[in-house]
């Protein structure tokens, strides 16, 4: 039986209290332990605002956020942040240490963690993201993908239950993006960590267990990638589905239903199709 680690109930927020229009209006959602939830939507739909609310960087006007059964408020947010961490679009804004390992250890030092435990957690976090060999490097001299790995390691060292990615992969080249997505899939499988990714990338969203579509600050739709991309034809689908639709237009004998990347690759190999 799954355990719910994030509960959002009728959440509303606006930056300018003088205006009546909300950035978010009556948002309700849940995230289970070990689940990957993607949040998509056009610019201005409230995606990044939702991420900031979930980690307590801003406070909701109304509604409730529960993280592992603790209601988020001004007094509980420091306790809640032990369970949830966020990685932003630009990882350099999160770097503090002069070496990779020092940066990952920084938050643990602030907790006055014993040295042996801190060393174990740093080693483990760097190993999880494949950065152990660069532990003595200056974070600012790393590639974009490596910087994001270090930022994720810094959060993982705190052993959170939930990892929030706020457009964390948007600035990466395709190769770095694919590598990091593989890292995240492995983390989800090995550590049973919950992932909530705010993204414009439909290929990233398609990897999630569920997708929430925000529009004008409200939940327009929610479901699996298959359910969402079938129900919302105006959404640009991930590449495998885009390819399937194009092949249908060319009257190729391809299944008339949504296909994941794995399903598309398997079908292409079996059919030996020349596009």
């Amino acid at each position: 039986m799954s355990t719910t680690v994030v509960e959002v109930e009728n959440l509303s927020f606006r930056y300018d209290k003088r205006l009546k229009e909300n950035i978010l209006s009556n948002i309700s959602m849940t995230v289970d332990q070990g689940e990957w939830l993607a949040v998509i939507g056009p610019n201005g739909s409230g995606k990044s605002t939702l991420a900031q609310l979930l980690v307590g960087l801003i406070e909701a006007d109304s509604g409730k956020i529960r993280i592992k059964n603790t209601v988020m408020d001004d007094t509980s947010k420091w306790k809640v942040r032990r369970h949830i961490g966020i990685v932003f679009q630009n990882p350099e804004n999160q770097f503090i240490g002069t070496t990779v390992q020092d940066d990952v250890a920084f938050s643990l030092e602030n907790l006055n963690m014993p040295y042996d435990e801190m060393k174990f957690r740093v080693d483990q976090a760097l190993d999880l993201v494949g950065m152990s060999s660069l532990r003595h490097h200056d974070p600012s001299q790393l590639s974009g993908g490596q910087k994001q790995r270090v930022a994720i390691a810094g959060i993982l060292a705190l052993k959170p239950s939930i990892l929030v990615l706020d457009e964390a992969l948007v600035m990466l080249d395709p190769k770095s993006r694919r590598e990091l997505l593989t890292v995240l899939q492995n983390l989800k499988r090995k550590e049973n960590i919950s992932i909530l990714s705010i993204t414009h990338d439909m290929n990233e969203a398609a990897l999630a267990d569920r997708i929430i579509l925000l529009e004008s600050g409200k939940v327009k739709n929610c479901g699996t990638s298959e359910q969402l991309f079938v129900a919302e034809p105006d959404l640009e689908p991930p590449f495998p589905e885009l390819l399937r639709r194009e092949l249908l237009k060319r009257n190729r004998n391809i299944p008339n239903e949504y296909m994941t990347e794995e399903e598309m690759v398997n079908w292409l190999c079996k059919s030996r199709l020349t596009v």
Side-chain angles (χ1 to χ4, degrees), residues 182-209:
T182 299
V183 168
L184 292 170
Q185 288 175 305
N186 289 336
L187 282 173
K188 178 179 176 294
R189 186 180 71 253
K190 294 178 180 179
E191 302 297 312
N192 200 33
I193 193 169
S194 302
I195 299 173
L196 193 150
S197 59
I198 310 295
T199 183
H200 282 94
D201 185 346
M202 296 301 105
N203 292 297
E204 177 185 339
L207 296 175
D209 299 303

Side-chain angles (χ1 to χ4, degrees), residues 21-25 42-46 214-220:
E21 184 177 355
N22 289 331
I23 299 297
L24 294 172
S25 298
N43 290 332
S45 60
L214 293 185
E215 189 172 278
S216 301
K218 299 178 181 179
V219 175
K220 183 183 180 186

